[in-house]
Amino acid sequence: MDPSSSTRMPGRLVPAGGGHVPVRVRGFIEDAAPARAQRSERGFAVVLARTEHDVVKVVDGATVLGYLPEAWSRVIDFELWSAEQAGEPALARAVLEGARGDRDLFVMLSWGRRRA
């Protein structure tokens, strides 16, 4: 299935619940963005993967697009581990923001809901 498809993406969408917020990807270089990102207004699928340095990398195929901030890496670590154990890729929706030549990459993540 095409990861830019608006239908169900193959793999596990991370995180699965809570409210969503755009999180800026650190170390992103616009030239590394896939062609489908340039023409996608609603975003495109990326893979989130844990690293040995306890940060989460944002990947498109073999290309590392950047990294999540450490705090967000800690927040979603368990969900990424769970996806790994299930043998599923951990996917997130990514969007480019800004004027061409000065764009940032954001991934949509969620925060946990507090229980009363």
Side-chain angles (χ1 to χ4, degrees):
M1 177 181 284
D2 177 8
S4 65
S5 170
S6 61
T7 59
R8 187 184 182 298
M9 296 183 292
R12 182 180 296 200
L13 190 60
V14 174
H20 287 80
V21 62
V23 175
R24 185 173 181 265
V25 174
R26 295 178 183 223
F28 171 69
I29 298 172
E30 187 173 346
D31 292 339
R36 72 182 188 284
Q38 306 296 335
R39 61 182 185 269
S40 176
E41 295 176 7
R42 294 183 346 164
F44 60 100
V46 293
V47 174
L48 302 178
R50 298 185 315 152
T51 69
E52 63 274 2
H53 303 292
D54 296 327
V55 294
V56 173
K57 60 185 173 182
V58 179
V59 182
D60 179 65
T63 304
V64 176
L65 299 174
Y67 300 87
L68 295 183
E70 289 181 39
W72 277 104
S73 293
R74 286 191 302 272
V75 166
I76 66 168
D77 182 69
F78 179 75
E79 289 193 62
L80 295 179
W81 178 84
S82 296
E84 287 175 7
Q85 298 307 305
E88 298 176 315
L91 303 176
R93 182 69 54 194
V95 293
L96 287 176
E97 293 288 332
R100 189 175 293 266
D102 191 30
R103 291 186 174 169
D104 287 316
L105 180 68
F106 292 86
V107 292
M108 299 302 292
L109 298 179
S110 71
W111 62 91
R113 301 261 171 129
R114 293 183 183 230
R115 296 179 187 214

